[in-house]
Amino acid sequence: MVQVVTAPIDPAALAEKLKDPRAGGYASFEGWVRNENEGREVLQLEYETHEPLVIKEGERIIAEAKERWPLIGAEFVHRSGLLELGACAVWVGVAAKHRDEAFLACRYLIDDLKQRLPIWKKEHYVDGDSGWVNCERCAQHGEAGRLQR
Amino acid sequence: MVQVVTAPIDPAALAEKLKDPRAGGYASFEGWVRNENEGREVLQLEYETHEPLVIKEGERIIAEAKERWPLIGAEFVHRSGLLELGACAVWVGVAAKHRDEAFLACRYLIDDLKQRLPIWKKEHYVDGDSGWVNCERCAQHGEAGRLQR
Amino acid sequence: MNDAATKTVKVRYFASFREHAGISEELLTTTANTARELFDATRDRHGSAEPAGHCKVAVNDDMATWDAPIRDGDTVLLFPPVAGG
Amino acid sequence: MNDAATKTVKVRYFASFREHAGISEELLTTTANTARELFDATRDRHGSAEPAGHCKVAVNDDMATWDAPIRDGDTVLLFPPVAGG
């Protein structure tokens, strides 16, 4: 299941929902708001999402992972709105019989959700400036820095 | 830090201790007690540990991971004694600036702690029988099944 | 030609595109046949020099490819480079 | 030969080894020069057909290799195949 939430994420409660007597391994990932990005001091983050497509495309990513590996449960939750330093911006959890598929699917989910879902991140810097964060893959391609600074 | 505990593991409290303003990614793994192993119905698990060497060799594994990847924090906790189905037997948590090293180190820690630490697992089956679980790597080598059945 | 017929579509702008356009959506009369043609036609609006390949598009709330056909009455969502997580 | 001198060592058995031996530790007088020789000498005790390569050994609470030398007064810990996690 995919959720977009404005309230803090509770990973323990989410993990509890994935509990299953057949599950021997649970891999999870949390993205936390860092105090720095590309050399600039970050004060807080703002996430904008287009929720209907985050859900629809997110469920597709989960379905793909379930086709690829034998999973017992796989879910993720993404925050929307203004987040303070240290806050959990995204949680991904995967329960499986064995750890191998739990790790692989967890990694697949976070990688694909970052690249495919309509979610944008605006950094507010300590110096008062702000800017939209470019996508990871675009940054890797080396062209086109920030859209706006 | 490495811990051997007899009380239930609290992953949320442990993750909280790894919180750091520089950390952008947190990968964790939990091993849960499954209701089945190699076709036999499991009722509960019993872990025996030689704690002094679990700690000493465990800290060495963590130091190795920290040499290999730039980590902000890495810890694990293993239960000892009798565990019910669904209980968390082991928790591994890694905080890093980016997710890549968090995932890789988390996987390294769980793989190595399973292969290197003096921890043994006895399964108690629904049929009243019990047996020590052979190591993963030995099982992969195909020889030498259970020591005792 | 049927293809070049004018059509009316609703275009929605997100994140930096919305901030640059100063509006979150508008009705456009266009002869664009594909999502890519519409993206190019709105380049002044969304103010981006990003190649389409770094951006994404959805048509009627389904993720689409840049060569997806645009039909009269469609709602087209223009997404700048995404950065979830 | 000095190497073949008898020595007294404390041997500790864990998990299945302990259950089979019926004791968790004992003092042994042995001529074993290496951990492997001691492991083989206690094979009846720990009751395992496991090759040493599947098992582990520690000497004086440090993980050791099977060719580690055994000295008078050492404490040798014999570990059956481990299965943490």
Side-chain angles (χ1 to χ4, degrees):
Chain A
M1 202 187 54
V2 177
Q3 286 181 76
V4 176
V5 299
T6 53
I9 292 172
D10 181 348
L14 291 161
E16 195 56 39
K17 282 173 42 192
L18 285 174
K19 280 271 161 102
D20 185 295
R22 297 164 301 157
Y26 165 75
S28 79
F29 177 80
E30 297 177 25
W32 294 344
V33 179
R34 265 189 298 143
N35 64 357
E36 182 270 339
N37 193 25
E38 293 175 18
R40 303 192 72 179
E41 268 189 279
V42 174
L43 190 64
Q44 53 184 16
L45 276 194
E46 195 178 341
Y47 281 96
E48 174 175 339
T49 66
H50 180 55
E51 186 171 339
L53 268 182
V54 170
I55 305 288
K56 196 187 283 187
E57 187 73 1
E59 295 290 2
R60 196 168 289 154
I61 294 172
I62 288 178
E64 289 166 9
K66 286 182 171 173
E67 265 171 41
R68 245 168 116 160
W69 298 283
L71 308 180
I72 289 172
E75 305 199 347
F76 62 81
V77 180
H78 205 292
R79 282 286 295 276
S80 179
L82 216 52
L83 272 75
E84 302 302 317
L85 293 186
C88 177
V90 61
W91 166 88
V92 178
V94 177
K97 191 170 172 190
H98 299 293
R99 72 185 181 287
D100 216 28
E101 50 263 31
F103 269 108
L104 292 171
C106 187
R107 185 67 204 256
Y108 180 82
L109 294 182
I110 184 66
D111 284 356
D112 270 49
L113 84 79
K114 276 173 179 266
Q115 287 179 356
R116 292 166 56 180
L117 300 190
I119 301 174
W120 302 273
K121 175 159 58 178
K122 190 185 222 174
E123 290 174 340
H124 295 271
Y125 304 107
V126 170
D127 63 17
D129 201 4
S130 67
W132 292 98
V133 176
N134 213 332
C135 68
E136 265 186 359
R137 207 193 282 177
C138 306
Q140 282 161 8
H141 288 182
E143 10 171 344
R146 302 296 173 83
L147 286 175
Q148 307 189 327
R149 285 288 275 268
Chain B
M1 204 188 51
V2 177
Q3 285 181 76
V4 176
V5 299
T6 52
I9 292 173
D10 181 348
L14 292 162
E16 195 56 38
K17 281 174 42 193
L18 286 174
K19 280 271 162 104
D20 186 294
R22 296 164 301 156
Y26 164 75
S28 78
F29 177 79
E30 297 177 26
W32 294 344
V33 179
R34 265 190 299 142
N35 64 356
E36 182 271 338
N37 193 24
E38 293 176 19
R40 302 191 73 179
E41 268 189 279
V42 174
L43 191 65
Q44 53 184 16
L45 276 194
E46 195 179 342
Y47 282 96
E48 174 175 338
T49 67
H50 180 55
E51 186 171 340
L53 268 183
V54 170
I55 305 288
K56 196 188 282 186
E57 187 73 0
E59 295 290 3
R60 196 168 289 152
I61 293 172
I62 288 178
E64 290 165 9
K66 286 182 169 170
E67 266 171 41
R68 241 167 119 161
W69 298 282
L71 308 179
I72 290 171
E75 306 200 346
F76 61 81
V77 180
H78 205 292
R79 282 285 296 275
S80 179
L82 216 51
L83 272 74
E84 302 302 317
L85 293 187
C88 176
V90 61
W91 166 89
V92 178
V94 177
K97 192 170 172 191
H98 300 291
R99 72 185 182 287
D100 216 28
E101 49 262 32
F103 269 109
L104 292 171
C106 186
R107 184 68 203 256
Y108 181 82
L109 294 183
I110 184 66
D111 285 355
D112 270 48
L113 83 79
K114 276 173 179 267
Q115 287 178 358
R116 293 166 56 180
L117 300 190
I119 301 174
W120 302 273
K121 175 159 59 178
K122 190 185 222 175
E123 290 175 341
H124 295 272
Y125 305 106
V126 169
D127 62 17
D129 202 3
S130 68
W132 292 98
V133 176
N134 213 332
C135 69
E136 263 185 359
R137 208 194 280 178
C138 306
Q140 281 161 10
H141 288 181
E143 8 172 347
R146 299 300 171 82
L147 286 174
Q148 307 187 328
R149 285 288 274 269
Chain C
M1 284 194 310
N2 205 25
D3 270 353
T6 60
K7 47 205 106 178
T8 302
V9 295
K10 184 194 280 185
V11 182
R12 295 184 62 185
Y13 303 104
F14 290 82
S16 60
F17 287 178
R18 184 194 62 250
E19 287 188 355
H20 195 273
I23 49 173
S24 61
E25 59 178 64
E26 63 184 337
L27 283 177
L28 279 186
T29 300
T30 179
T31 56
N33 290 314
T34 64
R36 187 187 305 272
E37 286 175 24
L38 186 71
F39 182 75
D40 289 340
T42 59
R43 201 168 271 290
D44 286 343
R45 274 300 205 194
H46 58 70
S48 173
E50 289 283 343
H54 288 181
C55 304
K56 293 186 196 299
V57 63
V59 178
N60 303 328
D61 257 348
D62 269 315
M63 298 302 293
T65 56
W66 287 109
D67 54 7
I70 297 300
R71 299 191 179 83
D72 190 57
D74 279 347
T75 296
V76 180
L77 284 53
L78 296 181
F79 297 149
V82 300
Chain D
M1 285 196 311
N2 203 24
D3 270 353
T6 61
K7 47 205 104 177
T8 302
V9 296
K10 185 194 280 184
V11 182
R12 296 185 60 186
Y13 302 105
F14 290 82
S16 61
F17 287 179
R18 185 194 62 250
E19 287 188 355
H20 195 273
I23 49 172
S24 61
E25 59 179 66
E26 62 185 337
L27 283 176
L28 280 186
T29 300
T30 179
T31 56
N33 290 313
T34 63
R36 188 188 304 271
E37 286 175 24
L38 185 71
F39 181 75
D40 289 340
T42 59
R43 202 169 271 290
D44 286 344
R45 275 299 206 195
H46 58 71
S48 174
E50 289 284 343
H54 288 182
C55 304
K56 293 186 196 298
V57 64
V59 179
N60 303 327
D61 257 348
D62 269 315
M63 299 302 294
T65 56
W66 286 109
D67 54 8
I70 296 299
R71 299 190 179 83
D72 190 58
D74 280 347
T75 295
V76 180
L77 283 53
L78 296 181
F79 297 150
V82 300

